[in-house]
Amino acid sequence: MRSGSGLVYLLIALVFGLSVAHILIMPVEQLMARQIRKTGQTDPLIIRNTIINTGYPISQWILGQKTMKEIIEESAAQQMSYSKNPNQAYTAGQMKTDTDFDPWTRFLLEEKPALLSAIFLVLFFGMPFVISFLAYNQVSGDIQSHGLRYLLLRTERSNIYFGRFLGAVIFSTVVIAIIVATITFYLGVKTRIYPAMALIGWAACGFLALSILMVPYIALCSLISASVNSPFLSLVLAKVAIAGVLLLALAGSIAWKPAKYLLYALPWGWQSHLLHPAPTHWAGAVLACLAYTALFLMLGYYRFEKRDI
């Protein structure tokens, strides 16, 4: 909040998080409203199938189990089959039985509140792009204005560098808590699809996973902020680094499959595993996030300690 970047991040994160939730919840609410108008009650099976129909392609793409091309082709094949036999319903929930789902997808869509899982997956994909609006100007603005010279009369560089990083982490965690709590409360009160305890438990897991995910990206912004003199340049470089790794991996893998491993230059390759049902997977993802954080922080601090401010 000191430089205004915190307020900008708060607004962008809230708009993004709540917009994602609205887009995914709206079809379910519309279906429930139509059912109530026609029959006076809701059909849980149809609602469940609609949610799976929404969440299945999202989970398959974000988890890296299918490409967007494969998902589009599968959807087109379903539409063609439906046009040939319009009396048969071809929703994802009716086409695929529980045994057709892989264990990861089944865990997210069957064992956990599927609508909340779909929202978490989209937030996992989008929040790394949003976090740079908070963390880009940890020290670069003060380096540009030479304001750190006055702070160094009363404290050490390590206190400034790690203190700013810790402040960004705490603020990010609070904002994520607000977003997750708002979405969960709305799902519980407005839609009433899932039991309250199931929603609260899965929301707590999602909040923890999102909070952990943001830490290495904040550390990356710390490194960039300590390396340049301009806050604007720091923001641009953070955006380029975060988006560039993802785009290079996705585009490069089309021509050369091993290019997909570029995702592991940042937590992109690990982060979805924070929602994996197997303890070895999510524990490995947590350790990977901590390793990225330590690496970026140490590189950033080395740069900050050596440079003239």
Side-chain angles (χ1 to χ4, degrees):
M1 303 299 288
R2 176 181 55 87
S3 62
S5 59
L7 181 59
V8 172
Y9 168 74
L10 174 64
L11 294 175
I12 293 176
L14 287 175
V15 170
F16 172 71
L18 298 182
S19 296
V20 167
H22 173 71
I23 291 170
L24 294 178
I25 295 173
M26 182 174 60
V28 178
E29 289 185 321
Q30 291 175 341
L31 176 59
M32 294 173 67
R34 287 197 300 269
Q35 289 180 345
I36 292 174
R37 284 198 302 269
K38 291 180 180 179
T39 65
Q41 61 183 2
T42 58
D43 187 330
L45 179 60
I46 295 178
I47 293 173
R48 173 183 175 276
N49 289 338
T50 300
I51 294 172
I52 294 177
N53 191 49
T54 302
Y56 178 74
I58 294 173
S59 65
Q60 292 290 286
W61 185 67
I62 294 181
L63 297 180
Q65 295 170 337
K66 288 186 180 180
T67 64
M68 184 59 67
K69 180 181 178 181
E70 291 172 336
I71 292 173
I72 293 174
E73 289 175 350
E74 182 179 288
S75 177
Q78 293 175 17
Q79 292 297 328
M80 184 177 298
S81 299
Y82 178 76
S83 63
K84 293 179 180 179
N85 187 4
N87 295 323
Q88 183 176 355
Y90 280 93
T91 64
Q94 290 169 320
M95 271 192 60
K96 296 183 177 292
T97 64
D98 289 352
T99 56
D100 291 327
F101 287 120
D102 63 276
W104 198 354
T105 305
R106 187 186 308 117
F107 172 76
L108 294 175
L109 299 183
E110 297 286 343
E111 299 179 22
K112 299 297 181 181
L115 198 51
L116 195 55
S117 295
I119 293 170
F120 282 149
L121 287 172
V122 178
L123 292 181
F124 265 61
F125 183 79
M127 285 303 291
F129 298 104
V130 178
I131 193 63
S132 56
F133 287 106
L134 170 67
Y136 75 95
N137 189 22
Q138 294 180 51
V139 293
S140 56
D142 289 324
I143 293 174
Q144 184 181 53
S145 65
H146 303 291
L148 289 177
R149 296 180 179 181
Y150 302 100
L151 291 177
L152 290 174
L153 296 175
R154 294 171 290 180
T155 188
E156 299 177 355
R157 293 195 184 202
S158 60
N159 294 333
I160 296 173
Y161 181 78
F162 293 109
R164 298 279 176 85
F165 165 76
L166 184 60
V169 169
I170 293 173
F171 189 79
S172 171
T173 303
V174 171
V175 172
I176 291 172
I178 294 172
I179 294 172
V180 173
T182 303
I183 294 172
T184 305
F185 179 79
Y186 185 86
L187 278 175
V189 173
K190 184 70 174 178
T191 63
R192 299 183 181 180
I193 301 172
Y194 307 107
M197 293 310 299
L199 271 178
I200 293 172
W202 188 225
C205 293
F207 158 72
L208 184 60
L210 274 169
S211 299
I212 293 172
L213 173 62
M214 293 299 99
V215 176
Y217 288 105
I218 294 173
L220 174 64
C221 292
S222 298
L223 167 59
I224 295 173
S225 181
S227 303
V228 300
N229 296 342
S230 167
F232 177 75
L233 179 59
S234 177
L235 176 61
V236 171
L237 291 177
K239 293 293 184 186
V240 170
I242 294 171
V245 168
L246 178 64
L247 292 176
L248 284 175
L250 294 179
S253 62
I254 298 175
W256 188 51
K257 287 189 180 294
K260 66 182 181 180
Y261 294 109
L262 287 172
L263 287 173
Y264 294 94
L266 289 178
W268 286 116
W270 294 95
Q271 60 194 47
S272 296
H273 290 265
L274 290 168
L275 295 177
H276 200 281
T280 53
H281 282 261
W282 58 256
V286 171
L287 291 176
C289 287
L290 294 177
Y292 283 112
T293 300
L295 175 63
F296 295 147
L297 274 181
M298 291 302 103
L299 290 175
Y301 179 65
Y302 178 81
R303 171 60 178 159
F304 184 63
E305 184 70 23
K306 297 297 182 180
R307 69 175 304 171
D308 179 21
I309 55 176

